[in-house]
Amino acid sequence: MTPQARSEGDLPQGDPVQGAWLDALPQAVLLIESGSVTRVNAAAARLWGVPQDRAAGRPVLEIVRRHTLEALAERGGEMELEVSGRTLRCTATRDGVHSALIVEDVTDHRRREAELREATAVLSHEFRTPVAALRGVLEALEYDMPTDLAQNFVRQGLQETERLARLVEDLAVGFRPTRARTLPLAEAFARAERLLGTDLSARQATLTFGQDHLVRADPDKLLQVLLNLIENALKYGPNGQPIHVRTAERGTWVEVAVLDHGPAISDSENLFRAHTRGQGATGQGSGMGLYIVRSIVHGWGGQAWAEREGQQNAFCFTLPGVAGIG
């Protein structure tokens, strides 16, 4: 038999070629013969804290210290284990009396998968508002109306189409730095009030805004924050009750608070976690709204929180202010 034809199990324990390529692997590898370890590579020695020169000849269980891994090495197959906060993907192959156990740390890979799922949930939530606005515009344009009114609907539709285009860019290339500019809060307030007009009428609610301030923010992200908070106030507050958006200077920051007359919130901090909904939540919902709010606000360096003020709930956030409006 030529050296090239020898199987992995036929290689002598001290073969330098075998040792070099095994030690170069990032995965932990145990070579096993008849239930005893014949070699561990450098990654396996680090993972299980066993020097390579002391591993040979020892039972598999003495090295891996887990019956699940010992059984996997005996039967072959794949499994994942959670060990000390790490996710390990374990694969065992078997050929007669020879077997190999390969363990790979996939913690970062699983974290990236979770981040991707979370990013997808965030984007799907953000798509909801412009899609709903476009549907309303198209439904309105089905009817005959004065030319100036129709043009107003067309402008609104184009504005929301541009917003959708930006979201598509985010989906394609990841979350890039926001497109911040200086703008008066009144601009964002007017846009939010226009988009929520139908909902306000349906709930017989009034919406008022506090003093205007000049701020530095991405207009679309700021609108998303306002829409989420005002929609929550409409959803969880009683019909016919006013909603007020209060503003105030806080040093170099501007604080915005959406006040509603809904029931007292019992655990305001948990409401800002992903996939969490309030106790009184009804209907379908992703539980991502307040998580999105906090993520956006943290992105420009601000803070987002909720508190009870007398008989009202206050959902607050801060954003960079620009002094000297007007």
Side-chain angles (χ1 to χ4, degrees), residues 42-287:
R46 291 191 298 270
L47 177 63
W48 286 294
V50 178
Q52 290 177 275
D53 58 355
R54 296 178 56 187
R58 298 174 65 178
V60 174
L61 185 60
E62 287 188 15
I63 304 298
V64 301
R65 298 186 292 276
R66 284 181 177 270
H67 287 288
T68 50
L69 286 180
E70 180 189 35
L72 181 67
E74 290 178 354
R75 69 174 185 270
E78 292 186 5
M79 66 181 302
E80 283 195 2
L81 285 177
E82 296 291 334
V83 180
S84 301
R86 310 295 294 178
T87 303
L88 304 179
R89 181 167 59 200
C90 310
T91 305
T93 61
R94 188 173 183 85
D95 181 14
V97 297
H98 301 291
S99 58
L101 179 64
I102 305 167
V103 179
E104 181 180 5
D105 188 336
V106 294
T107 306
D108 291 339
H109 179 69
R110 294 290 177 262
R111 176 182 55 79
R112 287 192 295 271
E113 286 182 339
E115 289 174 350
L116 180 59
R117 287 193 297 270
E118 187 172 283
T120 302
V122 169
L123 283 169
S124 66
H125 192 284
E126 290 200 19
F127 271 105
R128 180 172 60 93
T129 298
V131 167
L134 281 172
R135 181 184 294 116
V137 167
L138 293 174
E139 289 174 350
L141 290 173
E142 284 186 314
Y143 301 95
D144 291 332
M145 63 181 69
T147 302
D148 57 342
L149 183 58
Q151 288 177 342
N152 182 60
F153 276 111
V154 170
R155 283 193 297 270
Q156 182 178 338
L158 290 173
Q159 186 179 49
E160 294 308 320
T161 300
E162 176 63 24
R163 187 168 172 219
L164 278 173
R166 293 178 183 176
L167 289 173
V168 169
E169 290 179 7
D170 284 342
L171 182 62
V173 300
F175 294 104
R176 297 179 298 188
T178 58
R179 301 169 179 85
R181 66 175 174 88
T182 299
L183 73 154
L185 274 175
E187 177 183 316
F189 291 162
R191 193 175 170 193
E193 186 173 25
R194 183 174 65 251
L195 291 173
L196 292 170
T198 301
D199 293 334
L200 288 166
S201 298
R203 299 297 296 254
Q204 300 177 332
T206 58
L207 178 62
T208 57
F209 300 95
Q211 184 179 358
D212 195 11
H213 296 272
L214 205 59
V215 297
R216 182 77 179 174
D218 181 317
D220 288 337
K221 297 298 185 183
L222 175 57
L223 176 65
Q224 188 70 31
V225 169
L226 289 170
L227 289 176
N228 272 318
L229 296 182
I230 297 172
E231 283 177 339
N232 278 352
L234 285 169
K235 185 184 301 182
Y236 298 114
N239 285 351
Q241 289 293 325
I243 298 171
H244 180 60
V245 182
R246 183 184 66 203
T247 64
E249 288 186 356
R250 299 287 186 249
T252 59
W253 295 83
V254 173
E255 179 185 306
V256 180
V258 177
L259 305 171
D260 67 69
H261 293 268
I265 44 182
S266 58
D267 189 354
S268 60
E269 185 59 29
N270 275 333
L271 286 178
F272 288 89
R273 299 181 185 276
H275 307 294
T276 301
R277 305 182 69 198
Q279 292 182 350
T282 58
Q284 294 184 350
S286 65

